[in-house]
């Protein structure tokens, strides 16, 4: 009897915990209903840092928020695919690839138009342009905008991906490899890229904001079906963060520097010089135009299952209604 009661108690506790983690309502000790919302934050997504620090969702919406750091778009997509988060932040191209390869996600908001990726070489390198990468080792994080940026840069320069040796490293490891001389170049990501530029003398040999595919918020389709109100609350909080950064530029730089563990001059360069936050948050024609140019490169490099899956993903990726109904109050 004692064993049976123990098993029942354990099963009951597990059920309550699972319900909370999956975003279901649960009662606290005072009988108040609470909900756990699972979000990511990322140093390439300044709005997420503000929403997390200000605790608007927790305080205004009476939510419990579980925050998970995304080290790159690939990690955010992995967490979405594994049902570890409900909404995650990636580059637009990374979201397209994920959906084309079967991930049931929708882009619900545009959080920035960044120039967060470029081709970087170490201080003193004789390489001055993308053509000079032929036969060289280039660090990049596959599944992220810097990698897709590299593919587009190579294509524009008349090179194939096979003309370089891509060393697949997470962004921070790519920076370290570049600075140690283990690779000849790096498809960099801010703020790591700006840090390497200012502190190690690394050089950006190719920049092109048009090859950066916007910063986007993606949600699992099941989450949107079950909790459209929470999706709207997140979008509204992001819009509040966008306005907060505009109204508090110096404080935003300090927050960014503190969270990303970078100097304030680097934070200022990334936030105010390489990141456009004054963009239409509704996913639509502008983002589609960028992604349409990237699709042939993704197909050629076998990043997607098929050309058909890429086109289908492009036609079904965006869910604009949440950003259309946004409120920053």
């Amino acid at each position: 009897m004692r064993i049976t009661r123990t098993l029942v108690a354990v099963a009951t506790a597990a059920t309550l915990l699972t319900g909370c983690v999956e975003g279901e309502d649960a009662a606290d000790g005072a009988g108040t209903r609470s909900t756990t919302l699972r979000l990511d934050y990322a140093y390439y997504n300044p709005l997420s840092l503000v929403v997390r620090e200000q605790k608007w969702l927790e305080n205004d919406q009476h939510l419990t928020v579980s925050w998970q750091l995304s080290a790159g778009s690939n990690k955010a997509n992995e967490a979405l695919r594994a049902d570890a988060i409900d909404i995650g932040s990636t580059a637009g191209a990374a979201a397209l690839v994920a959906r084309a390869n079967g991930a049931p996600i929708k882009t619900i908001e545009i959080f920035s138009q960044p120039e967060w990726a470029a081709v970087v070489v170490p201080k003193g390198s004789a390489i001055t342009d993308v053509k000079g990468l032929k036969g060289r080792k280039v660090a990049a994080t596959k599944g992220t905008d810097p990698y897709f940026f590299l593919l587009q840069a190579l294509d524009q320069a008349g090179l194939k991906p096979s003309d370089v040796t891509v060393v697949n490293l997470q962004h921070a490891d790519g920076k370290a490899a570049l600075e140690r001389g283990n690779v000849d170049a790096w498809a960099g990501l801010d703020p790591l890229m700006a840090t390497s530029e200012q502190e190690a003398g690394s050089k950006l040999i190719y920049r092109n904001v048009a090859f950066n595919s916007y910063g986007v918020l993606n949600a699992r389709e099941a989450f949107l079906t079950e909790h459209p109100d929470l999706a709207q609350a997140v979008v509204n909080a992001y819009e509040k963060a966008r306005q907060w950064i505009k109204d508090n530029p110096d404080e935003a730089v300090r927050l960014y520097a503190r969270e990303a563990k970078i100097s304030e001059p680097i934070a200022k360069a990334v936030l105010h010089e390489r990141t456009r936050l004054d963009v239409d948050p509704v996913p639509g024609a502008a983002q589609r135009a960028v992604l349409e140019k990237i699709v042939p490169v993704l197909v050629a490099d076998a990043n997607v299952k098929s050309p058909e899956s890429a086109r289908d993903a492009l036609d079904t990726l965006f869910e604009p209604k949440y950003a259309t109904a946004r409120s920053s109050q």
Side-chain angles (χ1 to χ4, degrees):
M1 178 67 73
R2 182 175 300 170
I3 293 175
T4 300
R5 288 176 178 171
T6 300
L7 290 174
V8 170
V10 170
T12 301
T15 299
L16 289 174
L17 179 59
T18 301
C20 185
V21 169
E22 291 181 353
E24 299 296 333
D25 290 338
D28 61 21
T32 302
R33 308 302 290 182
S34 63
T35 300
T36 295
L37 176 63
R38 304 168 304 168
L39 304 177
D40 81 339
Y41 68 103
Y43 303 141
Y44 53 84
N45 178 0
L47 298 187
S48 71
L49 304 180
V50 176
V51 174
R52 179 170 175 262
E53 196 267 346
Q54 294 291 330
K55 298 186 181 297
W56 289 318
L57 288 165
E58 292 90 332
N59 296 332
D60 297 350
Q61 301 295 324
H62 308 294
L63 296 171
T64 298
V65 181
S66 172
W67 292 97
Q68 176 173 310
L69 177 65
S70 289
S73 293
N74 60 324
K75 296 301 183 182
N77 276 329
E78 286 173 12
L80 285 164
R81 189 163 46 246
D83 192 11
I85 57 175
D86 300 309
I87 297 177
S89 43
T90 75
L96 176 69
V97 168
R99 186 166 179 88
N101 290 329
I105 60 171
K106 290 277 193 178
T107 293
I108 62 172
E109 160 139 312
I110 308 303
F111 62 78
S112 71
Q113 183 185 22
E115 188 190 2
W116 55 21
V119 176
V120 190
V121 297
K123 181 180 180 180
S125 173
I127 300 172
T128 58
D129 58 26
V130 176
K131 289 184 178 181
L133 297 179
K134 187 172 183 177
R136 306 287 189 142
K137 291 192 293 185
V138 184
T141 308
K142 291 189 175 182
T144 70
D145 229 26
Y147 177 65
F148 302 136
F149 182 97
L150 174 64
L151 294 181
Q152 294 176 89
L154 291 172
D155 183 66
Q156 186 180 69
L159 299 178
K160 301 184 297 294
S162 59
D163 288 326
V164 303
T165 299
V166 175
V167 182
N168 186 22
L169 296 171
Q170 199 61 44
H171 300 299
D173 297 327
K175 171 180 176 292
L178 180 83
E179 294 173 358
R180 288 195 300 259
N182 295 341
V183 295
D184 301 295
W186 170 47
L189 178 73
D190 272 335
L192 293 167
M193 184 169 66
T195 301
S196 187
E197 186 182 15
Q198 293 195 26
E199 295 183 354
S202 301
K203 298 180 294 183
L204 277 56
I205 62 166
Y206 184 71
R207 301 170 65 174
N208 188 338
V209 70
F211 284 180
N212 291 260
S213 64
Y214 287 85
V216 303
L217 272 190
N218 307 306
R220 295 183 303 105
E221 287 186 293
F223 174 75
L224 294 177
T225 298
E226 296 163 8
H227 299 287
D229 56 328
L230 297 187
Q232 189 66 62
V234 172
V235 168
N236 292 348
Y238 262 69
E239 289 311 296
K240 193 172 182 178
R242 196 188 307 273
Q243 187 62 45
W244 185 90
I245 291 176
K246 181 179 179 180
D247 294 341
N248 304 275
D250 295 336
E251 191 174 348
V253 166
R254 289 192 291 270
L255 168 61
Y256 192 24
R258 183 173 67 251
E259 289 293 317
K261 299 177 178 59
I262 55 179
S263 71
E264 289 189 14
I266 292 172
K268 184 176 181 180
V270 174
L271 189 60
H272 295 318
E273 296 173 20
R274 296 184 184 174
T275 306
R276 275 197 61 203
L277 296 178
D278 59 336
V279 295
D280 186 349
V282 181
Q287 291 73 42
R288 184 183 178 98
V290 171
L291 295 178
E292 283 180 334
K293 293 177 182 177
I294 297 176
V295 163
V297 177
L298 300 179
V299 171
D301 192 52
N303 284 271
V304 293
K305 291 188 297 184
S306 66
E308 293 75 22
S309 69
R311 299 304 305 182
D312 182 67
L314 189 59
D315 290 338
T316 60
L317 178 62
F318 300 149
E319 178 47 86
K321 68 180 182 181
Y322 298 99
T324 300
R326 67 193 180 275
S327 168
S328 61
Q329 301 302 314

